[in-house]
Amino acid sequence: FQLALVALFAGVALALLLPRLRRLERLVARDLAELEGSRAALETGNRELQAMAGRLFSVQEDERRAISRDLHDDIGQAVTAIKLAAHAAIDEADMQRRNADLGQIVELVDSTVIRLRNLSMLLRPPQLDALGLEAALRWQAGQLFRASPVELLLEVGDLPQRPDNEIEQACFRIAQESLTNALRHALASQVRLRLADAGDGRLHLQVADDGEGFDPAGPRGLGLIVMRERAQSAGGRLQIHTGPGEGTRIELHLPYRAAQAASACAGH
């Protein structure tokens, strides 16, 4: 009788526990499936990051190669021509021809100075150091749109304080890339550039166009990836609002101080 009673209690306990065990089994299976999905997503993300890093390094190498080629071919040839013209002037007995050689040297020097200035602007525009971010943005926008039929609307207000060098550099390059993209790819009739104080210890940059836009879920160009990386490394936030036929609006918030940027990056 006692054995039967034990068996009865065991059967009842098993009947009560079985649904819970099955539910626990389903929970464990679901957790394992989610874990496997997270692992696969992490592996995919790592592959994408590695591919992006490779593309970034490739772009950097291409830029360095282009600058090196310009220095060697363009500037180097100009300096060689100046040297040859100077030797010709030294050995020239005829005063008229000597003056012509000297005039050629002056022309070569002037054109070489312009080429060097253009190269230096690719690395860091002197207006950024001498006049600050606001003037550099006005100058850059004017240069880009000077020969373009696209209407440029500038709303570049004076900031209450000057950002650190790293912040100015990041903001300028992101604005430069945004304006260039709007001109080359947006098929826009109007582009607006706005710089203002955000009122929360940060500056706010906006570049908006009325172009054709693009699918934000589609493939991203390397320029957009670089812009995001610049913003994040400077402790800022970059948002891209767009859609097919809706134009594109770039929103950038950056801290004024590089120390804030460093702490923000550390927090992430």
Side-chain angles (χ1 to χ4, degrees), residues 53-97:
R55 292 172 66 189
L56 287 175
F57 288 140
S58 177
V59 169
Q60 290 175 344
E61 287 302 315
D62 289 343
E63 289 178 347
R64 292 175 181 142
R65 192 179 298 111
I67 292 173
S68 175
R69 184 172 58 249
D70 288 341
L71 287 172
H72 180 270
D73 296 343
D74 204 357
I75 307 302
Q77 290 178 6
V79 171
T80 301
I82 292 171
K83 180 180 178 181
L84 293 174
H87 280 298
I90 292 174
D91 297 333
E92 184 58 65
D94 186 278
M95 184 59 67
Q96 187 174 359
R97 291 183 178 178

mmCIF file of all heavy atoms in Angstrom, residues 53-97:
data_model
loop_
_atom_site.group_PDB
_atom_site.id
_atom_site.type_symbol
_atom_site.label_atom_id
_atom_site.label_comp_id
_atom_site.label_asym_id
_atom_site.label_seq_id
_atom_site.Cartn_x
_atom_site.Cartn_y
_atom_site.Cartn_z
ATOM 1 N N ALA A 53 37.242 49.217 -42.123
ATOM 2 C CA ALA A 53 38.595 49.655 -41.783
ATOM 3 C C ALA A 53 39.526 49.511 -42.985
ATOM 4 O O ALA A 53 40.348 50.387 -43.261
ATOM 5 C CB ALA A 53 39.125 48.840 -40.602
ATOM 6 N N GLY A 54 39.369 48.400 -43.721
ATOM 7 C CA GLY A 54 40.191 48.221 -44.914
ATOM 8 C C GLY A 54 39.932 49.282 -45.959
ATOM 9 O O GLY A 54 40.857 49.802 -46.589
ATOM 10 N N ARG A 55 38.653 49.646 -46.133
ATOM 11 C CA ARG A 55 38.316 50.685 -47.102
ATOM 12 C C ARG A 55 38.839 52.038 -46.657
ATOM 13 O O ARG A 55 39.326 52.827 -47.469
ATOM 14 C CB ARG A 55 36.796 50.732 -47.278
ATOM 15 C CG ARG A 55 36.209 49.503 -47.956
ATOM 16 C CD ARG A 55 34.698 49.508 -47.919
ATOM 17 N NE ARG A 55 34.139 50.591 -48.716
ATOM 18 C CZ ARG A 55 32.850 50.909 -48.703
ATOM 19 N NH1 ARG A 55 32.011 50.249 -47.924
ATOM 20 N NH2 ARG A 55 32.415 51.891 -49.463
ATOM 21 N N LEU A 56 38.754 52.322 -45.345
ATOM 22 C CA LEU A 56 39.270 53.593 -44.838
ATOM 23 C C LEU A 56 40.774 53.688 -45.044
ATOM 24 O O LEU A 56 41.293 54.732 -45.469
ATOM 25 C CB LEU A 56 38.937 53.740 -43.351
ATOM 26 C CG LEU A 56 37.472 54.027 -43.004
ATOM 27 C CD1 LEU A 56 37.267 54.033 -41.499
ATOM 28 C CD2 LEU A 56 37.041 55.365 -43.592
ATOM 29 N N PHE A 57 41.486 52.612 -44.730
ATOM 30 C CA PHE A 57 42.935 52.615 -44.944
ATOM 31 C C PHE A 57 43.257 52.801 -46.426
ATOM 32 O O PHE A 57 44.211 53.488 -46.780
ATOM 33 C CB PHE A 57 43.556 51.317 -44.430
ATOM 34 C CG PHE A 57 43.587 51.206 -42.934
ATOM 35 C CD1 PHE A 57 43.303 50.005 -42.298
ATOM 36 C CD2 PHE A 57 43.882 52.311 -42.148
ATOM 37 C CE1 PHE A 57 43.314 49.905 -40.919
ATOM 38 C CE2 PHE A 57 43.906 52.217 -40.768
ATOM 39 C CZ PHE A 57 43.618 51.008 -40.160
ATOM 40 N N SER A 58 42.449 52.173 -47.286
ATOM 41 C CA SER A 58 42.668 52.321 -48.722
ATOM 42 C C SER A 58 42.473 53.761 -49.166
ATOM 43 O O SER A 58 43.253 54.295 -49.960
ATOM 44 C CB SER A 58 41.717 51.392 -49.484
ATOM 45 O OG SER A 58 41.857 51.558 -50.871
ATOM 46 N N VAL A 59 41.420 54.407 -48.649
ATOM 47 C CA VAL A 59 41.183 55.811 -48.991
ATOM 48 C C VAL A 59 42.324 56.686 -48.504
ATOM 49 O O VAL A 59 42.791 57.591 -49.211
ATOM 50 C CB VAL A 59 39.840 56.281 -48.390
ATOM 51 C CG1 VAL A 59 39.695 57.792 -48.489
ATOM 52 C CG2 VAL A 59 38.687 55.612 -49.112
ATOM 53 N N GLN A 60 42.790 56.452 -47.271
ATOM 54 C CA GLN A 60 43.905 57.236 -46.739
ATOM 55 C C GLN A 60 45.159 57.062 -47.596
ATOM 56 O O GLN A 60 45.862 58.035 -47.886
ATOM 57 C CB GLN A 60 44.190 56.820 -45.294
ATOM 58 C CG GLN A 60 43.109 57.243 -44.318
ATOM 59 C CD GLN A 60 43.367 56.722 -42.921
ATOM 60 O OE1 GLN A 60 44.181 55.803 -42.714
ATOM 61 N NE2 GLN A 60 42.680 57.282 -41.948
ATOM 62 N N GLU A 61 45.428 55.821 -47.982
ATOM 63 C CA GLU A 61 46.600 55.586 -48.824
ATOM 64 C C GLU A 61 46.452 56.262 -50.180
ATOM 65 O O GLU A 61 47.421 56.802 -50.726
ATOM 66 C CB GLU A 61 46.828 54.085 -48.992
ATOM 67 C CG GLU A 61 47.367 53.393 -47.754
ATOM 68 C CD GLU A 61 48.685 54.008 -47.291
ATOM 69 O OE1 GLU A 61 49.558 54.254 -48.143
ATOM 70 O OE2 GLU A 61 48.819 54.266 -46.086
ATOM 71 N N ASP A 62 45.242 56.229 -50.743
ATOM 72 C CA ASP A 62 45.009 56.902 -52.027
ATOM 73 C C ASP A 62 45.231 58.409 -51.901
ATOM 74 O O ASP A 62 45.814 59.034 -52.799
ATOM 75 C CB ASP A 62 43.582 56.628 -52.511
ATOM 76 C CG ASP A 62 43.390 55.189 -52.960
ATOM 77 O OD1 ASP A 62 44.415 54.508 -53.197
ATOM 78 O OD2 ASP A 62 42.231 54.739 -53.057
ATOM 79 N N GLU A 63 44.772 58.997 -50.784
ATOM 80 C CA GLU A 63 44.975 60.431 -50.577
ATOM 81 C C GLU A 63 46.460 60.755 -50.449
ATOM 82 O O GLU A 63 46.953 61.725 -51.030
ATOM 83 C CB GLU A 63 44.222 60.890 -49.329
ATOM 84 C CG GLU A 63 42.710 60.907 -49.490
ATOM 85 C CD GLU A 63 41.993 61.321 -48.222
ATOM 86 O OE1 GLU A 63 42.660 61.344 -47.163
ATOM 87 O OE2 GLU A 63 40.790 61.623 -48.277
ATOM 88 N N ARG A 64 47.165 59.950 -49.676
ATOM 89 C CA ARG A 64 48.602 60.182 -49.507
ATOM 90 C C ARG A 64 49.346 60.013 -50.825
ATOM 91 O O ARG A 64 50.273 60.765 -51.138
ATOM 92 C CB ARG A 64 49.172 59.218 -48.457
ATOM 93 C CG ARG A 64 48.685 59.496 -47.046
ATOM 94 C CD ARG A 64 49.182 58.447 -46.078
ATOM 95 N NE ARG A 64 48.699 58.710 -44.735
ATOM 96 C CZ ARG A 64 48.327 57.758 -43.893
ATOM 97 N NH1 ARG A 64 48.364 56.485 -44.278
ATOM 98 N NH2 ARG A 64 47.913 58.057 -42.681
ATOM 99 N N ARG A 65 48.929 59.001 -51.605
ATOM 100 C CA ARG A 65 49.563 58.771 -52.901
ATOM 101 C C ARG A 65 49.316 59.949 -53.841
ATOM 102 O O ARG A 65 50.227 60.386 -54.569
ATOM 103 C CB ARG A 65 49.034 57.476 -53.504
ATOM 104 C CG ARG A 65 49.828 56.986 -54.716
ATOM 105 C CD ARG A 65 49.270 55.682 -55.251
ATOM 106 N NE ARG A 65 49.354 54.623 -54.257
ATOM 107 C CZ ARG A 65 48.322 54.073 -53.642
ATOM 108 N NH1 ARG A 65 47.103 54.500 -53.914
ATOM 109 N NH2 ARG A 65 48.481 53.122 -52.762
ATOM 110 N N ALA A 66 48.092 60.498 -53.808
ATOM 111 C CA ALA A 66 47.772 61.638 -54.666
ATOM 112 C C ALA A 66 48.586 62.869 -54.278
ATOM 113 O O ALA A 66 49.110 63.591 -55.140
ATOM 114 C CB ALA A 66 46.272 61.947 -54.587
ATOM 115 N N ILE A 67 48.706 63.111 -52.972
ATOM 116 C CA ILE A 67 49.496 64.263 -52.512
ATOM 117 C C ILE A 67 50.962 64.071 -52.873
ATOM 118 O O ILE A 67 51.642 65.013 -53.316
ATOM 119 C CB ILE A 67 49.316 64.460 -50.994
ATOM 120 C CG1 ILE A 67 47.880 64.901 -50.696
ATOM 121 C CG2 ILE A 67 50.291 65.496 -50.459
ATOM 122 C CD1 ILE A 67 47.553 64.968 -49.216
ATOM 123 N N SER A 68 51.466 62.842 -52.671
ATOM 124 C CA SER A 68 52.856 62.569 -53.022
ATOM 125 C C SER A 68 53.101 62.769 -54.515
ATOM 126 O O SER A 68 54.126 63.334 -54.925
ATOM 127 C CB SER A 68 53.211 61.129 -52.620
ATOM 128 O OG SER A 68 54.510 60.788 -53.049
ATOM 129 N N ARG A 69 52.142 62.318 -55.326
ATOM 130 C CA ARG A 69 52.285 62.487 -56.775
ATOM 131 C C ARG A 69 52.267 63.965 -57.163
ATOM 132 O O ARG A 69 53.055 64.415 -58.006
ATOM 133 C CB ARG A 69 51.159 61.740 -57.484
ATOM 134 C CG ARG A 69 51.266 61.769 -59.015
ATOM 135 C CD ARG A 69 50.248 60.866 -59.653
ATOM 136 N NE ARG A 69 48.890 61.218 -59.289
ATOM 137 C CZ ARG A 69 48.105 60.483 -58.516
ATOM 138 N NH1 ARG A 69 48.546 59.346 -58.023
ATOM 139 N NH2 ARG A 69 46.876 60.871 -58.227
ATOM 140 N N ASP A 70 51.379 64.731 -56.526
ATOM 141 C CA ASP A 70 51.326 66.168 -56.812
ATOM 142 C C ASP A 70 52.622 66.861 -56.421
ATOM 143 O O ASP A 70 53.129 67.723 -57.147
ATOM 144 C CB ASP A 70 50.154 66.815 -56.074
ATOM 145 C CG ASP A 70 48.817 66.440 -56.684
ATOM 146 O OD1 ASP A 70 48.813 66.000 -57.857
ATOM 147 O OD2 ASP A 70 47.787 66.569 -55.997
ATOM 148 N N LEU A 71 53.165 66.474 -55.262
ATOM 149 C CA LEU A 71 54.418 67.089 -54.823
ATOM 150 C C LEU A 71 55.563 66.731 -55.756
ATOM 151 O O LEU A 71 56.391 67.578 -56.103
ATOM 152 C CB LEU A 71 54.750 66.648 -53.392
ATOM 153 C CG LEU A 71 53.898 67.254 -52.270
ATOM 154 C CD1 LEU A 71 54.215 66.583 -50.939
ATOM 155 C CD2 LEU A 71 54.158 68.757 -52.172
ATOM 156 N N HIS A 72 55.610 65.456 -56.146
ATOM 157 C CA HIS A 72 56.719 65.007 -56.986
ATOM 158 C C HIS A 72 56.596 65.515 -58.418
ATOM 159 O O HIS A 72 57.546 66.091 -58.978
ATOM 160 C CB HIS A 72 56.797 63.478 -56.977
ATOM 161 C CG HIS A 72 57.910 62.931 -57.819
ATOM 162 N ND1 HIS A 72 57.742 62.624 -59.162
ATOM 163 C CD2 HIS A 72 59.202 62.647 -57.529
ATOM 164 C CE1 HIS A 72 58.877 62.171 -59.648
ATOM 165 N NE2 HIS A 72 59.782 62.164 -58.674
ATOM 166 N N ASP A 73 55.425 65.295 -59.012
ATOM 167 C CA ASP A 73 55.259 65.622 -60.431
ATOM 168 C C ASP A 73 55.049 67.117 -60.650
ATOM 169 O O ASP A 73 55.760 67.746 -61.444
ATOM 170 C CB ASP A 73 54.087 64.846 -61.019
ATOM 171 C CG ASP A 73 54.324 63.342 -60.992
ATOM 172 O OD1 ASP A 73 55.487 62.938 -60.828
ATOM 173 O OD2 ASP A 73 53.351 62.588 -61.120
ATOM 174 N N ASP A 74 54.086 67.676 -59.953
ATOM 175 C CA ASP A 74 53.698 69.061 -60.199
ATOM 176 C C ASP A 74 54.699 70.043 -59.591
ATOM 177 O O ASP A 74 55.349 70.829 -60.290
ATOM 178 C CB ASP A 74 52.304 69.307 -59.622
ATOM 179 C CG ASP A 74 51.614 70.470 -60.305
ATOM 180 O OD1 ASP A 74 52.246 71.088 -61.170
ATOM 181 O OD2 ASP A 74 50.460 70.764 -59.981
ATOM 182 N N ILE A 75 54.843 69.984 -58.281
ATOM 183 C CA ILE A 75 55.734 70.923 -57.597
ATOM 184 C C ILE A 75 57.191 70.653 -57.954
ATOM 185 O O ILE A 75 57.976 71.587 -58.184
ATOM 186 C CB ILE A 75 55.545 70.845 -56.073
ATOM 187 C CG1 ILE A 75 54.062 71.030 -55.708
ATOM 188 C CG2 ILE A 75 56.391 71.890 -55.369
ATOM 189 C CD1 ILE A 75 53.474 72.330 -56.187
ATOM 190 N N GLY A 76 57.558 69.369 -58.017
ATOM 191 C CA GLY A 76 58.947 69.033 -58.348
ATOM 192 C C GLY A 76 59.343 69.522 -59.733
ATOM 193 O O GLY A 76 60.429 70.088 -59.917
ATOM 194 N N GLN A 77 58.464 69.342 -60.701
ATOM 195 C CA GLN A 77 58.757 69.813 -62.053
ATOM 196 C C GLN A 77 58.835 71.336 -62.099
ATOM 197 O O GLN A 77 59.680 71.912 -62.806
ATOM 198 C CB GLN A 77 57.681 69.312 -63.019
ATOM 199 C CG GLN A 77 57.741 67.808 -63.275
ATOM 200 C CD GLN A 77 56.632 67.334 -64.183
ATOM 201 O OE1 GLN A 77 55.872 68.135 -64.712
ATOM 202 N NE2 GLN A 77 56.519 66.017 -64.355
ATOM 203 N N ALA A 78 57.960 72.006 -61.345
ATOM 204 C CA ALA A 78 57.992 73.469 -61.323
ATOM 205 C C ALA A 78 59.300 73.986 -60.738
ATOM 206 O O ALA A 78 59.903 74.938 -61.261
ATOM 207 C CB ALA A 78 56.806 74.009 -60.531
ATOM 208 N N VAL A 79 59.764 73.359 -59.654
ATOM 209 C CA VAL A 79 61.029 73.789 -59.041
ATOM 210 C C VAL A 79 62.195 73.539 -59.990
ATOM 211 O O VAL A 79 63.129 74.351 -60.105
ATOM 212 C CB VAL A 79 61.238 73.055 -57.698
ATOM 213 C CG1 VAL A 79 62.639 73.329 -57.154
ATOM 214 C CG2 VAL A 79 60.188 73.493 -56.688
ATOM 215 N N THR A 80 62.157 72.394 -60.687
ATOM 216 C CA THR A 80 63.208 72.105 -61.673
ATOM 217 C C THR A 80 63.218 73.147 -62.790
ATOM 218 O O THR A 80 64.287 73.616 -63.233
ATOM 219 C CB THR A 80 63.001 70.701 -62.265
ATOM 220 O OG1 THR A 80 63.041 69.727 -61.214
ATOM 221 C CG2 THR A 80 64.081 70.384 -63.282
ATOM 222 N N ALA A 81 62.016 73.530 -63.264
ATOM 223 C CA ALA A 81 61.927 74.551 -64.315
ATOM 224 C C ALA A 81 62.461 75.893 -63.819
ATOM 225 O O ALA A 81 63.136 76.624 -64.566
ATOM 226 C CB ALA A 81 60.476 74.693 -64.772
ATOM 227 N N ILE A 82 62.186 76.232 -62.560
ATOM 228 C CA ILE A 82 62.705 77.481 -61.979
ATOM 229 C C ILE A 82 64.228 77.440 -61.936
ATOM 230 O O ILE A 82 64.908 78.430 -62.261
ATOM 231 C CB ILE A 82 62.120 77.696 -60.569
ATOM 232 C CG1 ILE A 82 60.617 77.992 -60.662
ATOM 233 C CG2 ILE A 82 62.831 78.830 -59.841
ATOM 234 C CD1 ILE A 82 59.911 77.993 -59.314
ATOM 235 N N LYS A 83 64.770 76.293 -61.541
ATOM 236 C CA LYS A 83 66.226 76.148 -61.478
ATOM 237 C C LYS A 83 66.864 76.318 -62.857
ATOM 238 O O LYS A 83 67.871 77.033 -63.017
ATOM 239 C CB LYS A 83 66.578 74.776 -60.891
ATOM 240 C CG LYS A 83 68.076 74.523 -60.777
ATOM 241 C CD LYS A 83 68.342 73.146 -60.188
ATOM 242 C CE LYS A 83 69.832 72.872 -60.114
ATOM 243 N NZ LYS A 83 70.118 71.523 -59.553
ATOM 244 N N LEU A 84 66.281 75.678 -63.875
ATOM 245 C CA LEU A 84 66.818 75.787 -65.234
ATOM 246 C C LEU A 84 66.729 77.226 -65.747
ATOM 247 O O LEU A 84 67.669 77.737 -66.384
ATOM 248 C CB LEU A 84 66.067 74.839 -66.172
ATOM 249 C CG LEU A 84 66.259 73.336 -65.910
ATOM 250 C CD1 LEU A 84 65.353 72.527 -66.819
ATOM 251 C CD2 LEU A 84 67.730 72.947 -66.125
ATOM 252 N N ALA A 85 65.594 77.882 -65.469
ATOM 253 C CA ALA A 85 65.440 79.264 -65.910
ATOM 254 C C ALA A 85 66.444 80.181 -65.205
ATOM 255 O O ALA A 85 66.963 81.130 -65.807
ATOM 256 C CB ALA A 85 64.004 79.744 -65.655
ATOM 257 N N ALA A 86 66.719 79.899 -63.934
ATOM 258 C CA ALA A 86 67.686 80.711 -63.196
ATOM 259 C C ALA A 86 69.088 80.545 -63.782
ATOM 260 O O ALA A 86 69.838 81.521 -63.946
ATOM 261 C CB ALA A 86 67.675 80.326 -61.720
ATOM 262 N N HIS A 87 69.475 79.291 -64.107
ATOM 263 C CA HIS A 87 70.778 79.065 -64.734
ATOM 264 C C HIS A 87 70.863 79.765 -66.093
ATOM 265 O O HIS A 87 71.913 80.339 -66.442
ATOM 266 C CB HIS A 87 71.026 77.564 -64.899
ATOM 267 C CG HIS A 87 71.482 76.889 -63.641
ATOM 268 N ND1 HIS A 87 72.650 77.217 -62.997
ATOM 269 C CD2 HIS A 87 70.909 75.886 -62.915
ATOM 270 C CE1 HIS A 87 72.800 76.443 -61.916
ATOM 271 N NE2 HIS A 87 71.749 75.638 -61.840
ATOM 272 N N ALA A 88 69.757 79.709 -66.853
ATOM 273 C CA ALA A 88 69.752 80.379 -68.155
ATOM 274 C C ALA A 88 69.921 81.877 -67.999
ATOM 275 O O ALA A 88 70.628 82.533 -68.784
ATOM 276 C CB ALA A 88 68.449 80.061 -68.897
ATOM 277 N N ALA A 89 69.300 82.447 -66.955
ATOM 278 C CA ALA A 89 69.429 83.891 -66.730
ATOM 279 C C ALA A 89 70.849 84.260 -66.318
ATOM 280 O O ALA A 89 71.377 85.314 -66.729
ATOM 281 C CB ALA A 89 68.437 84.331 -65.653
ATOM 282 N N ILE A 90 71.470 83.409 -65.516
ATOM 283 C CA ILE A 90 72.843 83.689 -65.075
ATOM 284 C C ILE A 90 73.811 83.698 -66.262
ATOM 285 O O ILE A 90 74.697 84.554 -66.372
ATOM 286 C CB ILE A 90 73.276 82.645 -64.026
ATOM 287 C CG1 ILE A 90 72.480 82.832 -62.719
ATOM 288 C CG2 ILE A 90 74.778 82.752 -63.754
ATOM 289 C CD1 ILE A 90 72.737 81.751 -61.696
ATOM 290 N N ASP A 91 73.625 82.714 -67.171
ATOM 291 C CA ASP A 91 74.545 82.575 -68.303
ATOM 292 C C ASP A 91 74.182 83.466 -69.487
ATOM 293 O O ASP A 91 74.919 83.498 -70.488
ATOM 294 C CB ASP A 91 74.570 81.112 -68.769
ATOM 295 C CG ASP A 91 75.092 80.183 -67.671
ATOM 296 O OD1 ASP A 91 75.882 80.666 -66.823
ATOM 297 O OD2 ASP A 91 74.691 79.001 -67.660
ATOM 298 N N GLU A 92 73.068 84.173 -69.394
ATOM 299 C CA GLU A 92 72.595 84.982 -70.516
ATOM 300 C C GLU A 92 73.250 86.362 -70.499
ATOM 301 O O GLU A 92 73.134 87.119 -69.530
ATOM 302 C CB GLU A 92 71.077 85.135 -70.454
ATOM 303 C CG GLU A 92 70.483 85.868 -71.632
ATOM 304 C CD GLU A 92 70.804 85.203 -72.953
ATOM 305 O OE1 GLU A 92 70.350 84.057 -73.173
ATOM 306 O OE2 GLU A 92 71.536 85.822 -73.747
ATOM 307 N N ALA A 93 73.996 86.663 -71.588
ATOM 308 C CA ALA A 93 74.673 87.970 -71.683
ATOM 309 C C ALA A 93 73.728 89.057 -72.177
ATOM 310 O O ALA A 93 73.854 90.235 -71.804
ATOM 311 C CB ALA A 93 75.893 87.872 -72.612
ATOM 312 N N ASP A 94 72.764 88.663 -72.998
ATOM 313 C CA ASP A 94 71.825 89.641 -73.542
ATOM 314 C C ASP A 94 70.826 90.058 -72.449
ATOM 315 O O ASP A 94 70.122 89.214 -71.879
ATOM 316 C CB ASP A 94 71.094 89.030 -74.736
ATOM 317 C CG ASP A 94 70.200 90.049 -75.427
ATOM 318 O OD1 ASP A 94 69.076 90.252 -74.932
ATOM 319 O OD2 ASP A 94 70.632 90.634 -76.431
ATOM 320 N N MET A 95 70.771 91.343 -72.155
ATOM 321 C CA MET A 95 69.938 91.848 -71.074
ATOM 322 C C MET A 95 68.451 91.579 -71.315
ATOM 323 O O MET A 95 67.707 91.258 -70.400
ATOM 324 C CB MET A 95 70.173 93.351 -70.901
ATOM 325 C CG MET A 95 69.412 93.958 -69.715
ATOM 326 S SD MET A 95 69.868 93.175 -68.139
ATOM 327 C CE MET A 95 71.593 93.725 -68.012
ATOM 328 N N GLN A 96 68.000 91.713 -72.562
ATOM 329 C CA GLN A 96 66.590 91.507 -72.875
ATOM 330 C C GLN A 96 66.176 90.064 -72.632
ATOM 331 O O GLN A 96 65.119 89.783 -72.054
ATOM 332 C CB GLN A 96 66.322 91.906 -74.326
ATOM 333 C CG GLN A 96 64.842 91.879 -74.706
ATOM 334 C CD GLN A 96 64.608 92.426 -76.115
ATOM 335 O OE1 GLN A 96 65.544 92.844 -76.786
ATOM 336 N NE2 GLN A 96 63.356 92.396 -76.547
ATOM 337 N N ARG A 97 67.051 89.140 -73.093
ATOM 338 C CA ARG A 97 66.740 87.723 -72.868
ATOM 339 C C ARG A 97 66.823 87.373 -71.377
ATOM 340 O O ARG A 97 66.048 86.551 -70.880
ATOM 341 C CB ARG A 97 67.711 86.848 -73.656
ATOM 342 C CG ARG A 97 67.490 86.930 -75.175
ATOM 343 C CD ARG A 97 68.439 85.994 -75.896
ATOM 344 N NE ARG A 97 68.218 86.018 -77.336
ATOM 345 C CZ ARG A 97 68.934 85.333 -78.205
ATOM 346 N NH1 ARG A 97 69.930 84.535 -77.781
ATOM 347 N NH2 ARG A 97 68.668 85.411 -79.500
#
